[in-house]
Amino acid sequence: MTRAGTAARADGSGSGLGGMAGDVAIRGRRVCLDLLPRAGPRLSREAGLQRRRAAVMNGDGHYCGGATRPRGMEGMMRVSKDDKICGVPAPTARRLMRAYHDDHTVEVACEVLDLDREAAQVPLVALEAAGYLRRVENGIASSVSRWVTTIQGNALAQASFGKPISRATADRHLAQVLERTRAYNADPSRLLTISEIAVFGSYLDPAIDRLGDLDLAVIVVRRDTDGNRYVDKVLAYGQENGRSFGVFIEQLFWPLRELRMILKNRSAAISITGEDIRKLTDRYEIVYVVGDDPAAIPPPPDAMVER
């Protein structure tokens, strides 16, 4: 069953927890500093673990937005390394979008482009006019402009320089994703449920036969509504699967990461976002709803969304 979306268009910014101060990079990913143990005597190791555990228990432990956000969190596009976007070489434009996943002033562009403030502002304004960036209203009187990526900018941030795929290939990928979704949701050993999948992007335009990739918005919820019990299950889940983790935060987010890996099945042509598609675009088509799947293990009515 498919359902066409008619939600009103939002401003297009894929926010998540972007904009929080004090993010750090761990193994190529940015995580909230508040989820990590503080150095020094003011917070013991045990207290640090309790803080991180509470963040996941309460549903606050999402990856923060940033230049090294995990692949698949926004829709992707495919461009050539030789392309220019608003006068900026495509690889540099991609770096710029990654730098502005959180809102920043022109100084960040100065560093990326190696230009002075006046020169760096030119491509920022051009990228804003083209829909890759939007200017942030901070609610206070200030003459300092700040920019953040839109959904189009987030797609450029994750741009692939690979070859496009045919519509037939995209159809095959979608059918396989739905098959894997049904298998996952029927598995009682899983801790999460895929509650909805929507397709968006170029796939919805039947006139386009060569697609950048298959863009999917996937809503995932927890099967257990008790925060403490859920965390205990997460910790046991990683051990039961024989996984080893470099840092504790990786173990806490392993079920969601594993789910996305299962859906993608190593395909670079499948792009997955956990954002609410209704806030990103008014052009989408719902292709899976857990309530329509008789074999799925139904999640509780008050299930918490996991992003």
Side-chain angles (χ1 to χ4, degrees):
M1 176 181 294
T2 61
R3 304 173 185 176
T6 56
R9 183 181 301 276
D11 59 22
S13 60
S15 56
L17 293 183
M20 292 184 63
D23 297 355
V24 295
I26 292 181
R27 292 195 170 189
R29 289 177 291 190
R30 289 172 65 91
V31 297
C32 299
L33 191 60
D34 285 342
L35 303 184
L36 302 173
R38 308 290 189 186
R42 302 183 71 177
L43 186 62
S44 67
R45 180 178 182 275
E46 180 61 29
L49 293 178
Q50 290 176 356
R51 177 190 289 257
R52 290 177 295 185
R53 180 187 178 98
V56 175
M57 180 186 72
N58 297 324
D60 298 327
H62 305 323
Y63 290 118
C64 292
T68 51
R69 191 171 181 172
R71 284 174 63 94
M73 298 298 283
E74 275 83 27
M76 294 171 62
M77 65 172 64
R78 293 176 186 267
V79 295
S80 167
K81 289 183 178 180
D82 298 327
D83 288 344
K84 284 196 173 183
I85 300 172
C86 297
V88 180
T92 304
R94 183 174 65 176
R95 286 176 51 214
L96 203 58
M97 294 302 100
R98 292 178 176 180
Y100 279 90
H101 197 289
D102 297 330
D103 60 283
H104 291 295
T105 61
V106 69
E107 276 71 23
V108 169
C110 292
E111 295 179 10
V112 173
L113 302 173
D114 193 23
L115 298 173
D116 59 33
R117 295 182 81 259
E118 184 176 355
Q121 187 152 328
V122 173
L124 285 183
V125 172
L127 288 163
E128 178 186 359
Y132 294 97
L133 295 173
R134 67 177 178 87
R135 212 166 297 217
V136 176
E137 300 293 338
N138 55 20
I140 59 176
S142 174
S143 59
V144 178
S145 295
R146 302 178 71 88
W147 288 269
V148 69
T149 49
T150 62
I151 185 62
Q152 183 178 342
N154 291 335
L156 177 55
Q158 300 299 326
S160 167
F161 295 121
K163 296 180 180 179
I165 61 173
S166 68
R167 179 165 295 277
T169 298
D171 288 338
R172 175 171 53 83
H173 280 310
L174 180 57
Q176 292 172 347
V177 166
L178 295 178
E179 182 180 349
R180 292 192 289 270
T181 295
R182 287 187 285 268
Y184 184 97
N185 279 351
D187 188 344
S189 70
R190 306 296 184 183
L191 304 182
L192 304 171
T193 291
I194 302 160
S195 66
E196 181 181 286
I197 297 179
V199 183
F200 66 102
S202 57
Y203 182 86
L204 298 180
D205 190 342
I208 300 177
D209 185 63
R210 305 296 290 177
L211 312 177
D213 42 30
L214 178 65
D215 294 306
L216 301 176
V218 180
I219 298 179
V220 177
V221 297
R222 299 177 182 179
R223 291 184 180 178
D224 198 323
T225 58
D226 183 282
N228 277 310
R229 191 167 56 227
Y230 174 76
V231 171
D232 289 337
K233 289 180 179 179
V234 168
L235 299 180
Y237 185 78
Q239 295 175 351
E240 291 169 358
N241 286 271
R243 299 290 305 184
S244 59
F245 303 93
V247 291
F248 185 67
I249 194 73
E250 290 186 350
Q251 185 174 2
L252 293 178
F253 287 101
W254 167 244
L256 180 60
R257 181 176 173 227
E258 178 195 47
L259 181 153
R260 289 182 172 141
M261 289 170 63
I262 290 172
L263 292 186
K264 286 175 65 68
N265 195 33
R266 299 180 179 273
S267 174
I270 300 172
S271 174
I272 295 176
T273 177
E275 305 289 350
D276 184 352
I277 192 62
R278 296 162 182 81
K279 296 180 180 179
L280 303 180
T281 178
D282 57 0
R283 292 193 70 239
Y284 61 88
E285 184 176 312
I286 298 175
V287 294
Y288 178 87
V289 177
V290 67
D292 297 333
D293 184 353
I297 298 173
D302 57 343
M304 180 179 293
V305 176
E306 188 80 348
R307 289 193 175 92

